[in-house]
Amino acid sequence: MVLTAVGGGLRHSLVLEHQLRPLFGFFEACTVSTAIYASAAEMVDGEPLPPLIAARVVNAVEQLAALLERRQAATA
């Protein structure tokens, strides 16, 4: 899974690594290493994603695709 969140400020991004990743790890979920966080100020209706966030989305999706391919190959 890919951890994603939108919060009020940049300090809230720590929730992904210090709260959500351990929580999902406890439930044995497999998370990719790249998490995606955006502050509320960065998310404007009708505007494209900021380049840094868009790059993180691409990176996380590539990691997830590679993980799924490895798992599929292992079960074949």
Side-chain angles (χ1 to χ4, degrees), residues 13-28:
S13 67
L14 296 173
V15 169
L16 290 168
E17 297 301 328
H18 294 280
Q19 301 297 321
L20 293 180
R21 192 175 299 280
L23 174 67
F24 287 111
F26 173 80
F27 290 112
E28 299 182 5

Side-chain angles (χ1 to χ4, degrees), residues 2 30 32 58-74:
V2 177
C30 184
V32 297
V58 169
N59 192 13
V61 169
E62 288 173 350
Q63 290 175 6
L64 182 62
L67 176 66
L68 294 174
E69 287 173 3
R70 285 193 304 270
R71 286 189 175 219
Q72 185 175 14

